[in-house]
Amino acid sequence: MISPSESKLAGVPRTMLMTTRARVEEHQRPDAILYDPKVMEWWSSLQWDPELDIFYSGSLAQLTWAVRAHLFDQITQRYLASHQEAIAIELGAGMSTRYYRVGQGYRYWLELDLPEITTLRRQLDTETDHHRFLAQSALDFTWMDELPGNPENLLIIAEGLLMYFKETQVQQLIDQLHHRLPGATLVFDALGGSSNSKGAKQLAQLGAPLNWFIKNEQDIAAMGLSLTSVQSLIQANCRYPHRIGFFRWVPWLSQLPPLRNACLILETTV
């Protein structure tokens, strides 16, 4: 069993245990939104960190992480359907098992994360010529040198990552993509709100402060990305009324800008 202390997980890398647990619990439900046998296989070799109990806050958080993963899966499937030579890279991959759920039809699939996470992945996963692991920060732009093929066949996935960067760092990433990978597709989530929210304060206590917030998708367009699709994660949760508690009685609340824009899933073209 691999423990967080042995892997020296701290700060943002530590948060991947929560999103991984969310997929494990979703897989076990009879009405699961997504099934993830690979994460179940890995979970038996991981060790939950009890100090995360106060941050893993109930069924709504678990649902939200599962729905987010499902929305990214759907975008990944649609992209493959329209790009026969598709290549994907997951930035801040954590313990993502998306490759096994929906990605094996891709020509190449790359998982990028910090060295401590990539070391952990290599203990659980198998690297091949077509499924590679890169041990570096997404802000070390040399990863762009590792991508084969035409950038117009490239899907860049950044799930649960960019909100931990400063706005200037997000802009630097976008500028580098414009310069080096024009025509690529970038799909990511972005948060509304502020660092004063309850969730942001909890993550700051965990050593993983949120740094980048937006008002709405127009902020993304202003940074130089072309919007292809925008989905509200809160509104997506409302598709599962039996699991959202109070909100099932007042679904119109999800239309209000502070809730609608609390987390947006954005598919963009560089």
Side-chain angles (χ1 to χ4, degrees):
M1 184 174 290
I2 305 164
S3 72
S5 59
E6 289 170 348
S7 302
K8 298 183 175 60
L9 296 184
V12 176
R14 196 180 185 191
T15 65
M16 69 92 186
L17 286 169
M18 295 189 287
T19 54
T20 303
R21 175 178 168 179
R23 299 201 318 277
V24 168
E25 293 180 355
E26 191 63 32
H27 177 87
Q28 294 172 317
R29 292 182 61 94
D31 59 348
I33 295 165
L34 59 82
Y35 292 99
D36 198 337
K38 182 61 71 172
V39 82
M40 290 296 300
E41 176 186 321
W42 291 359
W43 191 244
S44 63
S45 297
L46 293 168
Q47 180 174 308
W48 175 250
D49 184 346
E51 292 183 5
L52 296 177
D53 284 341
I54 62 172
F55 304 104
Y56 192 82
S57 53
S59 59
L60 187 57
Q62 184 276 325
L63 171 68
T64 299
W65 281 319
V67 171
R68 184 180 72 175
H70 181 54
L71 294 176
F72 274 83
D73 281 1
Q74 290 178 322
I75 294 171
T76 303
Q77 289 174 303
R78 288 199 303 270
Y79 191 86
L80 179 60
S82 59
H83 295 79
Q84 292 184 348
E85 296 294 315
I87 298 164
I89 181 168
E90 292 198 82
L91 305 181
M95 290 292 101
S96 172
T97 49
R98 179 162 291 115
Y99 170 74
Y100 295 100
R101 294 198 304 273
V102 297
Q104 293 186 62
Y106 276 70
R107 182 182 175 192
Y108 295 103
W109 190 283
L110 295 87
E111 316 273 8
L112 179 146
D113 213 319
L114 296 172
E116 59 266 39
I117 295 292
T118 303
T119 296
L120 184 57
R121 175 178 287 275
R122 287 194 167 112
Q123 296 177 56
L124 300 170
D125 203 356
T126 301
E127 190 167 16
T128 70
D129 290 342
H130 297 280
H131 184 205
R132 296 176 53 208
F133 312 150
L134 303 180
Q136 63 193 90
S137 166
L139 295 175
D140 173 0
F141 301 127
T142 59
W143 60 263
M144 298 183 188
D145 300 330
E146 301 292 326
L147 301 172
N150 187 333
E152 293 185 0
N153 290 322
L154 175 63
L155 175 66
I156 305 167
I157 302 168
E159 179 185 3
L161 174 68
L162 299 188
M163 63 283 295
Y164 295 108
F165 294 169
K166 296 178 181 178
E167 183 175 354
T168 54
Q169 294 173 318
V170 177
Q171 187 66 67
Q172 288 171 358
L173 172 62
I174 292 170
D175 292 345
Q176 285 290 320
L177 292 174
H178 271 299
H179 178 64
R180 303 177 66 176
L181 299 171
T185 294
L186 172 64
V187 56
F188 60 99
D189 48 331
L191 300 180
S194 74
S195 58
N196 291 321
S197 68
K198 178 181 177 181
K201 289 179 179 178
Q202 287 180 327
L203 285 167
Q205 292 175 31
L206 193 60
L210 300 173
N211 291 303
W212 180 50
F213 300 90
I214 65 170
K215 292 180 180 178
N216 54 45
E217 60 267 34
Q218 296 310 313
D219 287 353
I220 302 302
M223 297 179 81
L225 294 172
S226 298
L227 296 168
T228 302
S229 71
V230 180
Q231 300 181 74
S232 164
L233 185 53
I234 299 299
Q235 291 177 358
N237 278 359
C238 291
R239 298 170 193 165
Y240 310 95
H242 62 296
R243 296 180 59 181
I244 60 175
F246 169 77
F247 281 99
R248 70 183 176 203
W249 305 112
V250 281
W252 56 267
L253 283 175
S254 68
Q255 305 296 325
L256 299 176
L259 288 177
R260 185 262 183 189
N261 301 328
C263 182
L264 298 179
I265 312 296
L266 301 123
E267 184 179 357
T268 69
T269 303
V270 177

